[in-house]
Amino acid sequence: MNNFDFYRPTRYIFGHGCENDTGSYAKEYGFKKALVVSGGNFAKRSGLLARVCSSLERAGISYVSLEGVKPNPRADLVYKGIELGRSENADFLLAVGGGSVIDTAKAIALGIPYEGDFFDFFLGKSKPQKALKTAVVLTIPAAGSEGSNSAVIEKEINGNIVKNGLGCDFNVPLFSVMDPELTFTLPAYQTACGVTDMMAHIMERYFTNTQNVDVTDRMCEGLLCSIIANAPVAITEPDNYSARANLMWAGTMAHNNICGVGREQDWATHHLEHQLSALYDVAHGAGLAVMFPAWMEYCLRHDVMRFAQFAVRVFGISMDYEKPERTAKAGIAALRAFLKRIGMPLNFEQIGAHSEDIPKLLDMLGVDDHERFEGHFVKLHRSDCEKIYKLAAEYRD
Ligand code: NZQ
Ligand code: ZN
């Protein structure tokens, strides 16, 4: 196990009706004015936004609203939010929504005290020195942004869409209010996208070269097993509280890095996927369902026993001691079968992506065959990434 320093001080407030007390939690920190960020439709239409805002009023906290965050959130609304937050003297951000809303709020929180262009942080041109605090009312278990140190934003630069993530301590939310009942309205497809994303967050950590990481291995496997058991229930019974609650907590544990400490992590698949969601505006989870099994196929021979362990412990496949590669491959097939069962796409065609665009995706990814690569478990240069995109494009059931 590697040395680590783990500090993720988000307070999680979890359970029935807790969103109605958001204002009193915010008051505990002495906040006076919220910039409330929400999405295009759900929070307003369902009455959630009104309930959260009245809880702020009851707590004596004034607020200003910024609505209209779209999935795969754009920089434009972040700029608008920065202006609004400054002119209205907001002293904290309150995100009411999923990953896209939370990431927009995090970016605004970084941008308000910064004199330059907030996207400099996402391009690695500058490092954040301060930020406003962000709090969350979560409505979809998926991205894990309610407990993560990252934010992902898209911006069009010179005709190309750049979708970049930024990891830093300022992005860790102060508190996250998590009521599983708020997720009853999630359509099956969106539920499945979230499930795929949380599984991917665990697998990005699971496939590692670090040896002797039994505790986090078993935590990853346990979470994956729980997600695999609860996802079909939540999809067929959308208002099953237990299934929704287990998925909600799993999504947070998947990405607040408790499963990632002390081990090298990979993240190539996420970066391969971000180019797909940037180019085709496909849901991040759907893109991951297409890319993760393809990445696994390509990397399998790097450590057959780790893939076999995944197959045995996560999907209950019997170990073939003579030919462990068979077990490893059966694990990838089981993952694809599960993703298909929950309604996820498995190839380019099913997400409206085209193999002719692979050179463009590779340019966007910014890899070459010399110095610039993706991943850690296996270092992937441009020709490797090209092969993985091709595997994903050409896969057929
Ligand atoms: O637009 P509204 O009306 O709000 O509807 C949303 C949206 O269309 C809808 N929705 C949310 N809660 C709902 C609901 N519909 C019905 N009932 C509810 N309770 O769901 C749609 C998707 O929302 P979005 O916020 O985009 O989903 P998600 O949480 O999957 O976030 C995806 C974004 O997060 C990024 C992704 O790249 C993508 O941009 N990620 C962020 C990470 C982070 N900050 O740590 C890590 C991830 O790997 C990921 O990259
Ligand atoms: Zn993700």
Side-chain angles (χ1 to χ4, degrees):
M1 196 193 296
N2 299 336
N3 293 356
F4 65 86
D5 181 338
F6 182 61
Y7 181 62
R8 279 296 158 82
T10 302
R11 175 181 176 191
Y12 301 108
I13 301 146
F14 193 103
H16 290 287
C18 53
E19 71 278 11
N20 297 321
D21 297 319
T22 306
S24 51
Y25 299 119
K27 194 177 176 183
E28 289 179 28
Y29 302 95
F31 294 128
K32 302 265 185 301
K33 185 155 194 178
L35 172 50
V36 182
V37 183
S38 61
N41 193 0
F42 166 72
K44 193 164 191 174
R45 181 175 38 85
S46 65
L48 170 65
L49 199 57
R51 281 190 290 125
V52 170
C53 290
S54 48
S55 88
L56 292 173
E57 282 165 16
R58 282 197 305 279
I61 297 173
S62 58
Y63 63 89
V64 58
S65 263
L66 179 74
E67 296 172 16
V69 176
K70 292 191 186 127
N72 300 318
R74 320 292 141 95
D76 308 8
L77 203 68
V78 176
Y79 292 116
K80 203 172 155 191
I82 292 169
E83 289 308 313
L84 186 65
R86 283 180 185 155
S87 62
E88 294 281 340
N89 284 322
D91 59 0
F92 79 112
L93 273 291
L94 178 60
V96 182
S100 299
V101 170
I102 303 169
D103 290 359
T104 299
K106 287 178 177 181
I108 296 170
L110 289 166
I112 286 177
Y114 181 59
E115 284 183 4
D117 180 348
F118 90 91
F119 208 72
D120 289 351
F121 301 138
F122 289 76
L123 293 172
K125 289 184 180 170
S126 179
K127 278 208 159 119
Q129 302 299 328
K130 55 183 167 177
L132 268 60
K133 296 285 185 198
T134 299
V136 172
V137 176
L138 184 66
T139 66
I140 168 169
S145 189
E146 70 280 5
S148 81
N149 71 345
S150 48
V152 185
I153 300 289
E154 276 186 23
K155 182 175 176 176
E156 195 173 321
I157 301 175
N158 302 328
N160 288 321
I161 297 169
V162 179
K163 181 172 183 177
N164 277 2
L166 167 73
C168 72
D169 287 347
F170 295 114
N171 279 337
V172 177
L174 179 63
F175 67 85
S176 289
V177 173
M178 301 165 68
D179 178 354
E181 266 183 56
L182 298 179
T183 70
F184 288 2
T185 48
L186 277 170
Y189 183 76
Q190 204 65 59
T191 302
C193 285
V195 162
T196 309
D197 193 16
M198 60 180 88
M199 290 177 76
H201 294 158
I202 300 166
M203 296 188 294
E204 296 280 15
R205 294 172 164 97
Y206 190 77
F207 292 100
T208 181
N209 295 312
T210 313
Q211 298 298 304
N212 302 319
V213 282
D214 298 343
V215 171
T216 40
D217 268 3
R218 295 287 188 180
M219 288 166 73
C220 289
E221 292 154 2
L223 276 175
L224 286 168
C225 290
S226 315
I227 294 166
I228 289 164
N230 282 284
V233 181
I235 287 170
T236 49
E237 299 169 39
D239 53 359
N240 184 311
Y241 183 87
S242 305
R244 293 293 194 184
N246 277 291
L247 288 181
M248 195 174 237
W249 192 227
T252 305
M253 292 292 111
H255 200 36
N256 75 349
N257 211 31
I258 194 155
C259 294
V261 295
R263 54 200 291 150
E264 186 185 52
Q265 306 181 13
D266 190 68
W267 297 99
T269 312
H270 260 71
H271 298 156
L272 287 160
E273 191 293 316
H274 280 163
Q275 315 318 318
L276 288 176
S277 44
L279 193 58
Y280 304 109
D281 204 18
V282 55
H284 171 59
L288 287 168
V290 172
M291 292 313 303
F292 227 110
W295 175 87
M296 289 167 117
E297 264 178 4
Y298 190 77
C299 297
L300 179 132
R301 291 214 173 81
H302 175 71
D303 186 348
V304 170
M305 290 312 285
R306 181 145 280 274
F307 283 95
Q309 176 179 299
F310 171 83
V312 171
R313 294 188 185 170
V314 176
F315 283 102
I317 289 162
S318 326
M319 182 68 192
D320 185 334
Y321 289 97
E322 287 193 0
K323 293 202 170 111
E325 195 169 321
R326 277 197 189 158
T327 314
K329 284 185 175 161
I332 300 171
L335 175 64
R336 276 206 173 104
F338 171 76
L339 294 171
K340 187 177 175 186
R341 184 176 158 215
I342 62 170
M344 284 287 91
L346 295 175
N347 60 33
F348 265 33
E349 194 185 346
Q350 292 168 349
I351 52 167
H354 312 287
S355 38
E356 308 85 78
D357 289 338
I358 290 176
K360 181 166 187 153
L361 291 165
L362 292 165
D363 289 347
M364 289 164 71
L365 190 58
V367 280
D368 61 27
D369 275 322
H370 311 287
E371 284 168 6
R372 294 188 298 163
F373 61 90
E374 283 293 344
H376 295 277
F377 182 62
V378 180
K379 284 195 169 78
L380 302 169
H381 285 281
R382 188 177 170 102
S383 52
D384 303 297
C385 296
E386 183 180 9
K387 287 176 190 137
I388 295 172
Y389 276 133
K390 279 191 174 153
L391 282 171
E394 287 161 15
Y395 176 76
R396 295 290 176 273
D397 270 334

